[in-house]
Amino acid sequence: MASPLYSKGLVLILAICIAFSTLEASEPPLTLAYYKSTCPTVLDIVRKEMECAVLSDPRNAALILRLHFHDCFVQGCDGSVLLDDTITLQGEKKASNNMHALKGFRIIDRVKNRLESECPGIVSCADILTIAARDAVILVGGPYWDVPLGRKDSKTAGYALSDSNLPTADESLLSIISKFIYQGLSVTDMVALSGAHTIGMARCVNFRNRIYGDFTMSSGISPLSQQYLSKLKSVCAPMKGSSDNNESAMDYSTPNLFDNSYYQMLLRGEGLINSDQVLYSSALAVQTKKLVAKYAENAVAFFEQFAESMVKLGNITNDDTYVNGEVRKNCRFVNT
């Protein structure tokens, strides 16, 4: 049993995190009309390419949304996640939190190629990814939001930051909160943005500890929950090995539809990964538990907050890019 001093320490940390949760992401020099005169068709081109991508495979929506999140949490939304390794640059793609987790790069390549044909040297890869993430959500039933534009592409990447800044599947609630607050995002933003897990897949290595740990404790012994758990165990063995990369939908109810069923799963104790379920089941989930219940009951409230939080996420910029950044010709490489 934890000592009273330890418990008080956790409560103090949580209080500090909640107090700072009113911090706002920094306001960058972005505008809705940034490409009005230089590339007026940018939004149409991105939308058409995303329509093709999602129509061919609805899971592509989640891939692009995840790429955007991983980009913005590492030195801001600057397209650094798109960079390949070279002799002189170590990209972020092979960082432990990104390897095997990030896909969809070819979709961004196709969008970039179209835009370079239409408006050469004008639209940054960072802006392309931000617009594409918005369109991805819309195409699977999610909300619309206006995307401020004008980001520049970085000439550097943050390999080490990918491992320190990004939340992991088995992370504690307080640690996740602190990582969002570090980015200028609130507890409310964290819970709303976590709702992106209503689409997409998770690998066995990320939910093994959950299904062989406290899943039954949080979900109870209802027949449906036990049936779901049995299915998860059939694709994910208890020991590391050949099943590590097997995948399961993070929202088994409506895996290709952006809705609020993710939060309803948390209410039932059926969150696939630990870092999701702690939003509702942790002893410290005072504020987050109320938000989960709110969004589970009210899809409109979730959509409104998700849209607002996505704008804040996209506004996390890399200030250095406005001095030393560029508009890449190829999203995978710095211009020569």
Short mmCIF file of all heavy atoms in Angstrom, two decimals, residues 31-42 118-119 122-123 149:
data_model
loop_
_atom_site.label_atom_id
_atom_site.label_comp_id
_atom_site.label_asym_id
_atom_site.label_seq_id
_atom_site.Cartn_x
_atom_site.Cartn_y
_atom_site.Cartn_z
N THR A 31 -2.68 31.95 -40.89
CA THR A 31 -3.89 32.60 -41.35
C THR A 31 -4.67 31.68 -42.28
O THR A 31 -4.09 30.83 -42.96
CB THR A 31 -3.56 33.91 -42.10
OG1 THR A 31 -4.75 34.45 -42.67
CG2 THR A 31 -2.54 33.68 -43.20
N LEU A 32 -5.98 31.85 -42.31
CA LEU A 32 -6.82 31.01 -43.17
C LEU A 32 -6.62 31.33 -44.65
O LEU A 32 -6.84 30.48 -45.51
CB LEU A 32 -8.29 31.19 -42.80
CG LEU A 32 -8.71 30.75 -41.39
CD1 LEU A 32 -10.18 31.04 -41.16
CD2 LEU A 32 -8.42 29.27 -41.18
N ALA A 33 -6.19 32.53 -44.96
CA ALA A 33 -6.07 32.97 -46.35
C ALA A 33 -4.62 32.95 -46.85
O ALA A 33 -4.30 33.63 -47.83
CB ALA A 33 -6.65 34.38 -46.50
N TYR A 34 -3.77 32.18 -46.21
CA TYR A 34 -2.33 32.23 -46.51
C TYR A 34 -2.03 31.95 -47.99
O TYR A 34 -1.16 32.57 -48.59
CB TYR A 34 -1.58 31.24 -45.62
CG TYR A 34 -0.09 31.35 -45.72
CD1 TYR A 34 0.61 32.34 -45.03
CD2 TYR A 34 0.65 30.48 -46.53
CE1 TYR A 34 1.99 32.46 -45.14
CE2 TYR A 34 2.03 30.59 -46.63
CZ TYR A 34 2.70 31.57 -45.93
OH TYR A 34 4.06 31.69 -46.04
N TYR A 35 -2.74 31.00 -48.60
CA TYR A 35 -2.45 30.61 -49.99
C TYR A 35 -3.48 31.18 -50.98
O TYR A 35 -3.55 30.73 -52.12
CB TYR A 35 -2.42 29.08 -50.12
CG TYR A 35 -1.32 28.42 -49.32
CD1 TYR A 35 -1.62 27.64 -48.21
CD2 TYR A 35 0.01 28.56 -49.68
CE1 TYR A 35 -0.62 27.02 -47.47
CE2 TYR A 35 1.03 27.96 -48.95
CZ TYR A 35 0.71 27.19 -47.84
OH TYR A 35 1.71 26.58 -47.12
N LYS A 36 -4.25 32.16 -50.54
CA LYS A 36 -5.34 32.68 -51.38
C LYS A 36 -4.84 33.17 -52.74
O LYS A 36 -5.49 32.92 -53.77
CB LYS A 36 -6.04 33.82 -50.65
CG LYS A 36 -7.25 34.37 -51.40
CD LYS A 36 -7.96 35.43 -50.60
CE LYS A 36 -9.19 35.96 -51.35
NZ LYS A 36 -9.92 36.98 -50.57
N SER A 37 -3.69 33.82 -52.77
CA SER A 37 -3.19 34.35 -54.05
C SER A 37 -2.11 33.49 -54.67
O SER A 37 -1.93 33.50 -55.90
CB SER A 37 -2.65 35.78 -53.85
OG SER A 37 -1.57 35.77 -52.92
N THR A 38 -1.40 32.71 -53.85
CA THR A 38 -0.26 31.94 -54.37
C THR A 38 -0.63 30.51 -54.78
O THR A 38 0.00 29.93 -55.66
CB THR A 38 0.85 31.86 -53.32
OG1 THR A 38 0.31 31.31 -52.10
CG2 THR A 38 1.43 33.24 -53.04
N CYS A 39 -1.67 29.94 -54.14
CA CYS A 39 -2.10 28.58 -54.50
C CYS A 39 -3.56 28.40 -54.07
O CYS A 39 -3.86 27.68 -53.11
CB CYS A 39 -1.21 27.53 -53.85
SG CYS A 39 -1.47 25.85 -54.50
N PRO A 40 -4.48 29.06 -54.75
CA PRO A 40 -5.87 29.06 -54.32
C PRO A 40 -6.56 27.70 -54.35
O PRO A 40 -7.59 27.51 -53.71
CB PRO A 40 -6.53 30.04 -55.30
CG PRO A 40 -5.64 30.07 -56.49
CD PRO A 40 -4.25 29.87 -55.96
N THR A 41 -6.00 26.73 -55.07
CA THR A 41 -6.63 25.40 -55.18
C THR A 41 -6.08 24.39 -54.18
O THR A 41 -6.40 23.21 -54.25
CB THR A 41 -6.43 24.84 -56.60
OG1 THR A 41 -5.02 24.77 -56.88
CG2 THR A 41 -7.10 25.72 -57.64
N VAL A 42 -5.26 24.85 -53.23
CA VAL A 42 -4.59 23.92 -52.33
C VAL A 42 -5.59 23.04 -51.57
O VAL A 42 -5.39 21.82 -51.47
CB VAL A 42 -3.66 24.67 -51.35
CG1 VAL A 42 -4.41 25.72 -50.53
CG2 VAL A 42 -2.97 23.70 -50.40
N GLU A 118 0.96 21.98 -59.55
CA GLU A 118 0.02 23.10 -59.62
C GLU A 118 0.64 24.41 -59.12
O GLU A 118 0.46 25.47 -59.74
CB GLU A 118 -1.22 22.77 -58.78
CG GLU A 118 -2.31 23.82 -58.81
CD GLU A 118 -3.16 23.72 -60.06
OE1 GLU A 118 -3.03 22.72 -60.80
OE2 GLU A 118 -3.94 24.66 -60.30
N CYS A 119 1.35 24.32 -57.98
CA CYS A 119 1.92 25.53 -57.34
C CYS A 119 3.32 25.20 -56.85
O CYS A 119 3.53 25.01 -55.64
CB CYS A 119 1.05 25.97 -56.15
SG CYS A 119 -0.72 25.96 -56.42
N ILE A 122 5.44 26.29 -53.23
CA ILE A 122 4.58 27.20 -52.47
C ILE A 122 4.05 26.58 -51.16
O ILE A 122 4.14 27.19 -50.10
CB ILE A 122 3.38 27.67 -53.33
CG1 ILE A 122 3.88 28.44 -54.56
CG2 ILE A 122 2.43 28.53 -52.50
CD1 ILE A 122 4.63 29.71 -54.23
N VAL A 123 3.50 25.38 -51.24
CA VAL A 123 2.80 24.80 -50.08
C VAL A 123 3.73 23.88 -49.29
O VAL A 123 4.31 22.94 -49.85
CB VAL A 123 1.56 24.01 -50.53
CG1 VAL A 123 0.80 23.48 -49.30
CG2 VAL A 123 0.64 24.89 -51.38
N LEU A 149 -3.12 28.35 -41.90
CA LEU A 149 -1.99 27.89 -42.71
C LEU A 149 -0.85 28.89 -42.70
O LEU A 149 -1.00 30.03 -42.29
CB LEU A 149 -2.47 27.64 -44.14
CG LEU A 149 -3.57 26.58 -44.30
CD1 LEU A 149 -4.16 26.62 -45.71
CD2 LEU A 149 -3.04 25.20 -43.97
#
